[in-house]
Amino acid sequence: MRRIFKSTRYVKDTLLSKTRCDIWVPLSVVLAGQGDQSLELLGDSSAALESYQGVVTAVNSVTSAKDCVFIEWAEEGLYRASLLALRTDTNYTALASDILRTYQLVTSTQPTNWRLKKRLTVARHSLTYLIEIYRRGVYDPPESESDAQATFMVEATKLRMIYETMLLSTATFPRADQVNTQVLEFVDQLAELVELAPWSVSDLRAFAEAFNRATQKAFNSPRITRHQFRVQVKLGEYKEAHYVFRTYMYLVGFITQAQYESRMDGEALASDSDGQAVPIPTIKPETIRQMVHDRGEVDDGNIVPGKSIASRRTVEKESTTDVLEVLLLGVKMFCEDLDKGSEAVEVAEIARNVFDMEFNKQKESWKSYGARVYRAAGTAYGLLGAQTMDPTMRPEYHGKALEYLEESLNIAETWETYYQLTLERGEARDIPQAIQYISKALQLNPKHIPSWHMLVLLCSCPAQGDMHQALKSCTMALEKAQDVIDQYNENDISNTDFDTRPGFDDLMQYVLLETTHSMLVNAAKGPEDALESQKNVFVSYNLISVPDDTYSQTNGLYDDNSDRNSLVVSGSLGNLSETGPVESDTTEKRSLTNGNTENGVSKNGSLRSLVGRRGLQNGKANSVRTEPIPNHHHRLHLFRGRTLRRHKNPTSTSLEDSASSESRDSLFSTTRAHASYPMQASVTSLQSAVPSLSSTRSIQPRGSISSAHTRPTARCRLRQKRSTRILCNLWLLSASYFLNMGRIDEAVKAVEEAENVDWTANARLWCTLGRVRLAQNMIDWAITAFQKGLVCESNDVECRVWLAKAYQEQGNLEIAEGILELVTRGNGWNCAEAWFYLGEVYRKTERIERAKDCLLYALELEKTQPIQSFSMLPRYV
């Protein structure tokens, strides 16, 4: 054996040294493979693996060879080399990676069914090996100067597509009581890949399609459904995620069709984020426990035959931890993204019973899961309590929320639980206890911006001292928050998709914190200083501004063309311009941003310079985007066109140059504008211009998702809605400052700027306009404005309170009383102004005892009233 090895090694070295090596390469590959196999048979795996490198070198030197004999011999040698590399210690990761890549290079030129069994084996193990070395941080790119993360994403996708093509071509639909083990193993590998890298929207859509194709080779697989749900949530497609989640619940036996249909039979005592009345959940603990008991699985992995129909739908049984992960992610989606308190409570109760009945307390992860489960249940009940309109049910839900959160804290002390307890105590107006909780949360995690914002809001309550102390706390919080946002790279923010922009939530919370700082400046120093501080807020807004190529104006998460909240433009609630006063003519827009910007991010300077506390610098500046977003609605005619809509015309140098086209481009044009949203992949996308991994053939199928126009995700639409709402509120805040100073004309201009940003769904816009009309002693027009605000958001507390005040000034005390009673019994139960005006109505109608109770309660609420509502903070962390 050793003589054979020496002779073949000598012949191989001799042949490779020839000038015409391309003639002798096939023979050298054969001889090299025989010598390497000899070392392998001798048990010297390390030497054999290094010797196989000669095969790799020979194959790479003739990448264009099409000789069938050469390819067959090369595949034979590389196949044995691949198996040896996968069995050998990980000290040879670079060499093993080269062998596996060369094998795919050689075999990719052949038909799919060529040596299919061997190629499937190598592809399956290669994908597992690639995931493992990248997770351990020892991944070696094929080109040393290339970006490791981007190259890994390209290589993993190519390998995944090759493996999927071969696997689905051989897999058959399973028979009864059978599963496709290889298909399930493949989807597990896909799920690992999804969590390993920051994939773009196009890449995540490709993963979602791969999971859908896998379902064609499986029957009622809860494992595939679980992975589908996770990737849809990560993608931000909440409508699809909701459907997939319901399917998973059906497969594991936690819901039946009859139960789902009967969910809407209860009393509609709660409201969702759109103001629609929804029924409160009917929780039956015995029914939930029976469903958990009948699902046919215990925590230690021993399968107990299930009694339910769902347990017989598939032979796959989900473990307790897998079920809990899906349920907890579902609660988070319902609380954070969909604002569905009723469904969140239903899922949280199921998760709590699964944990109590199935999870083994002897496991090390018991505390971790227990804290998460009870925290999720407390958060869900807290959201339902905030959305409940029935004053008798609200205390019950808040009580359950506190009970479960305290239980979570008893199981494990985490900063997330302290934050949720603070939010619950704050909404219950237990300010001293809330401050203690948030202090502990900040000790455990001082980098959480919403926790700092929570502390500032708590300190702004009048019972905690004067506003100067709260202002100092806010200044300190901004310094801490600025250290957090400095970690985000400026290029990553400007060059990524809007819905995958890194740190968007932190950046948005930073802008909201600066808004609170401006309000505290107004309370402590006056509106003049507050207006000066507003400049910094507008500069910081660029971090979350909607990119210029995003024009899709949406009202809902599920339908990007939803007309549900469109306003009445004719009839008794017609446009104010039909009866309102004529305002000033078109004037130039004010510029409030610092430096040239692109996609909302400064081109020159770091994020620290962009959001620094130094204010605006002199020089050329582009204005904050205030042009209306094209839509298929008719515009609301607040005023005559003072501000022209800005277009991206390179030949236009100023707004005045386009004044002649006002009839065509004015704010109030009814021409339909077709919006487009080109969801281009980011630089880390697998379809971007990354150097090919030695492959001369494209593995991306024709008509793939990377080349097709993709619609914006629900997360993108939600972020766009929040971003435009923040900018609109910034202008309205400036308008309120002008209004407090008595500068009515400037307040009107600020309201018009807000109208250019969000003119279809923001009730606060109409409320501010109504306040302006009240200041002008135009009570009828003010009432009309408040009514239009309630068309936008039917449960808006501010609009209702000001509408009641307007009716009260008009002398219609009965109407004012009815509105205020509705507010104080519903979601405005903690509004001090509502109780005060209701007390005034009672006083004027000589109901002294009721007036006294209302005024005392208003005074008590005023002492614990933060400068902004706690609802602006994240509901779920």
Side-chain angles (χ1 to χ4, degrees), residues 440-725:
K440 294 180 180 179
L442 287 171
Q443 290 176 5
L444 296 175
N445 184 13
K447 295 184 178 181
H448 190 230
I449 298 179
S451 294
W452 287 106
H453 198 178
M454 173 78 76
L455 179 62
V456 172
L457 293 180
L458 293 172
C459 292
S460 67
C461 297
Q464 300 303 311
D466 59 3
M467 288 299 175
H468 291 278
Q469 185 62 36
L471 182 58
K472 292 180 181 179
S473 300
C474 188
T475 303
M476 180 188 65
L478 281 173
E479 294 175 355
K480 299 291 185 180
Q482 187 168 320
D483 293 337
V484 175
I485 67 171
D486 282 342
Q487 65 182 323
Y488 301 112
N489 187 278
E490 178 182 344
N491 293 328
D492 291 342
I493 294 177
S494 59
N495 295 328
T496 54
D497 298 329
F498 187 62
D499 46 358
T500 58
R501 181 177 293 181
F504 179 85
D505 293 334
D506 283 342
L507 297 173
M508 182 180 67
Q509 287 299 320
Y510 182 87
V511 176
L512 293 175
L513 181 57
E514 281 205 319
T515 305
T516 302
H517 180 271
S518 175
M519 299 177 69
L520 288 172
V521 171
N522 175 61
K525 300 181 180 180
E528 288 285 354
D529 292 335
L531 284 172
E532 188 67 24
S533 68
Q534 278 284 88
K535 297 179 181 179
N536 292 322
V537 188
F538 277 102
V539 172
S540 299
Y541 172 78
N542 284 294
L543 297 172
I544 60 169
S545 62
V546 181
D548 291 337
D549 56 353
T550 306
Y551 292 121
S552 177
Q553 173 73 18
T554 62
N555 294 321
L557 292 176
Y558 287 175
D559 185 6
D560 55 347
N561 290 319
S562 173
D563 292 340
R564 187 189 167 281
N565 287 332
S566 57
L567 299 189
V568 179
V569 294
S570 61
S572 60
L573 294 179
N575 296 314
L576 290 183
S577 63
E578 297 172 1
T579 58
V582 177
E583 303 293 344
S584 59
D585 295 333
T586 303
T587 58
E588 184 179 357
K589 287 189 176 181
R590 294 181 299 276
S591 299
L592 287 175
T593 57
N594 182 22
N596 294 329
T597 61
E598 181 177 354
N599 288 339
V601 180
S602 174
K603 289 183 178 179
N604 48 6
S606 63
L607 292 182
R608 180 179 291 274
S609 64
L610 179 62
V611 299
R613 308 300 302 168
R614 296 171 296 175
L616 293 175
Q617 299 176 353
N618 295 328
K620 182 178 179 180
N622 294 328
S623 64
V624 174
R625 176 179 178 176
T626 59
E627 69 270 20
I629 303 174
N631 200 320
H632 298 288
H633 302 294
H634 293 287
R635 291 305 311 272
L636 300 176
H637 295 192
L638 279 176
F639 318 96
R640 285 198 172 189
R642 184 182 67 84
T643 309
L644 295 180
R645 181 170 54 198
R646 206 180 316 132
H647 293 270
K648 296 191 296 184
N649 186 359
T651 61
S652 177
T653 59
S654 66
L655 294 172
E656 289 80 9
D657 294 339
S658 60
S660 59
S661 59
E662 181 177 358
S663 61
R664 180 177 68 255
D665 295 329
S666 67
L667 284 171
F668 315 116
S669 172
T670 58
T671 305
R672 294 178 179 266
H674 297 279
S676 61
Y677 192 91
M679 294 289 292
Q680 301 295 336
S682 64
V683 293
T684 59
S685 172
L686 304 178
Q687 289 78 29
S688 61
V690 178
S692 175
L693 295 172
S694 306
S695 175
T696 58
R697 295 181 57 185
S698 172
I699 62 171
Q700 187 71 24
R702 178 176 297 180
S704 64
I705 195 167
S706 62
S707 59
H709 175 76
T710 57
R711 61 183 177 85
T713 63
R715 179 182 291 117
C716 179
R717 298 194 296 272
L718 181 61
R719 287 185 172 183
Q720 177 185 340
K721 180 179 179 180
R722 290 173 177 172
S723 177
T724 54
R725 175 64 62 93

Side-chain angles (χ1 to χ4, degrees), residues 180-233:
N180 273 333
T181 306
Q182 283 191 330
V183 174
L184 297 182
E185 183 183 355
F186 169 67
V187 297
D188 288 339
Q189 291 174 322
L190 287 187
E192 289 186 78
L193 277 177
V194 170
E195 301 297 331
L196 275 181
W199 305 97
S200 68
V201 172
S202 298
D203 303 330
L204 291 173
R205 290 188 190 276
F207 279 112
E209 290 187 354
F211 285 122
N212 290 334
R213 288 190 293 268
T215 58
Q216 300 174 9
K217 302 296 182 179
F219 179 71
N220 284 345
S221 172
R223 185 186 305 186
I224 299 178
T225 308
R226 165 164 44 92
H227 294 323
Q228 281 182 307
F229 172 64
R230 296 185 69 89
V231 76
Q232 292 292 352
V233 172

